[in-house]
Amino acid sequence: MRIGLIGTGRIGTFHAEVLSRHPAVDALLLADADPGRAAAAAGRTGAAAVSVDDLFTGAGEARGVPDAVVICSATAAHAGLIARAARAGLPAFCEKPIALDLPGTLAALAEVEAAGSLLQLGFMRRFDAGYGEARAAVREGRLGRLHTVRAVTSDPVPPPAAYLPLSGGLYRDCLVHDFDILRWVTGREVSEVYATGSDTGPAMFREAGDVDTAAVLLNLDDGTLATATATRCNGAGYDVRMELAGELDQIAVGLDDRTPLTSAEPGGPGAPAKPWPGFLERFAPAYEAELDAFLRVVRGEQANPCDGREALHALRIAEACEVSRRERRPVALAEIPGG
């Protein structure tokens, strides 16, 4: 297979390295708004560096149109590239989000649906072994009636200040992963949210109109209660967990010898010797698995595990959280367009 990849920043370069060693990939074409960055990534992976236009037209160094594209560009370019791939009839994998707002997301999905093309979204937690086991435990009834879910996402250091105005905010950029995996693990829909946030950390969050820490209470449509918290300022390390409590048992995802958590109990576990430093290290196997799944989908070997509508559901929850925080009230998902 010939695969084109657009965007060679941190996650794009990681994906390029994964694709370069995948046995199903015969040729890899890398494109970026910064040609020098694409050339550098190509040099590290043995790929060919091409322009975005040449990638889609097969002209110049591209020497033919790829069989599929992987979109890892800046978020603002996602929707346009998804639409361009759809119009070209190219299957596309795209890092989340489709767009930072509902109108942009719906417009891109309309292009995909009109073209009848394939779009897989990059919600990598769906491919993590722990979340997969939690999903199986819930679906098989091993926990009994599920009554409580607690999700945590904590980054060790804030992103660069210049990123914040482009990120969409903590709910859309960070907690959207928790919203997606909550639906995927439980098999239930969120019916109502109540969200709040704090901007008492670095001043750059206040200047961007964002929060550095947030908490959400989510009501699921079967009465299960869930909480999701996130922060950009967790000095202990990168911490992503989910706890699921039922009438028969309770389990935790993301609890291992690298979880940046210290017990306050005498004789309890101390701080880990090597806490998780970031998302690429914590979810490296999941990132590889989602790209392998995409290649299998393109080859017709399996169904799409995470199409664009799944991203829309998660974004609508994030949008409801923004309304709730701003208006200081519970918000029903029925209030948010696109359902």
Side-chain angles (χ1 to χ4, degrees):
M1 298 176 69
R2 285 167 53 84
I3 303 297
L5 183 146
I6 305 168
T8 51
R10 181 168 54 162
I11 189 63
T13 298
F14 181 91
H15 284 333
E17 291 170 349
V18 170
L19 291 167
S20 70
R21 59 179 181 263
H22 196 286
V25 177
D26 302 313
L28 181 61
L29 310 175
L30 304 184
D32 195 286
D34 179 350
R37 191 162 67 171
R44 290 195 294 272
T45 59
V50 303
S51 72
V52 174
D53 286 340
D54 285 355
L55 188 149
F56 279 107
T57 63
E61 293 298 318
R63 299 178 185 176
V65 177
D67 297 303
V69 295
V70 174
I71 299 169
C72 310
S73 62
T75 295
H78 285 187
L81 290 170
I82 288 171
R84 190 169 184 181
R87 292 192 293 268
L90 291 176
F93 172 95
C94 185
E95 278 298 325
K96 67 86 189 166
I98 294 174
L100 289 178
D101 58 20
L102 283 171
T105 299
L106 292 169
L109 289 177
E111 292 268 12
V112 171
E113 290 167 7
S117 60
L118 166 71
L119 173 63
Q120 180 181 326
L121 261 290
F123 281 109
M124 78 291 186
R125 295 187 194 182
R126 293 181 176 219
F127 299 87
D128 176 76
Y131 284 109
E133 173 61 18
R135 174 184 164 99
V138 172
R139 303 303 177 86
E140 294 167 10
R142 283 184 261 149
L143 305 184
R145 180 184 67 85
L146 187 66
H147 53 73
T148 308
V149 182
R150 294 176 286 270
V152 175
T153 294
S154 301
D155 289 332
V157 294
Y163 173 74
L164 293 179
L166 309 174
S167 71
L170 191 60
Y171 300 104
R172 298 186 190 94
D173 181 54
C174 184
L175 276 163
V176 72
H177 280 291
D178 297 275
F179 302 151
D180 175 72
I181 205 64
L182 176 63
R183 295 180 60 251
W184 188 76
V185 167
T186 65
R188 311 305 309 189
E189 297 296 340
V190 174
S191 59
E192 184 180 77
V193 305
Y194 182 81
T196 188
S198 169
D199 61 2
T200 58
M204 63 182 181
F205 289 96
R206 292 185 292 280
E207 293 164 0
D210 196 5
V211 293
D212 58 77
T213 303
V216 186
L217 173 63
L218 308 103
N219 290 297
L220 305 192
D221 60 7
D222 65 344
T224 301
L225 295 180
T227 59
T229 63
T231 184
R232 301 287 198 185
C233 306
N234 195 58
Y238 182 71
D239 187 11
V240 171
R241 283 176 286 126
M242 174 180 273
E243 299 171 5
L244 299 107
E247 290 184 333
L248 297 181
D249 202 359
Q250 179 173 239
I251 59 175
V253 178
L255 183 61
D256 59 24
D257 60 3
R258 299 191 68 180
T259 304
L261 192 64
T262 303
S263 173
E265 298 295 331
K274 193 176 180 182
W276 292 110
F279 65 92
L280 281 179
E281 295 82 4
R282 166 68 176 84
F283 287 109
Y287 279 118
E288 294 201 29
E290 71 176 358
L291 284 179
D292 180 70
F294 175 62
L295 298 179
R296 292 179 182 276
V297 173
V298 173
R299 297 200 302 267
E301 296 173 1
Q302 72 171 70
N304 189 345
C306 189
D307 66 22
R309 287 284 162 182
E310 297 297 293
L312 174 62
H313 291 313
L315 178 61
R316 290 181 65 244
I317 300 170
E319 291 289 327
C321 290
E322 287 288 1
V323 175
S324 178
R325 179 176 74 92
R326 184 172 62 249
E327 299 182 3
R328 295 180 176 272
R329 66 175 178 88
V331 175
L333 263 291
E335 297 180 45
I336 306 301

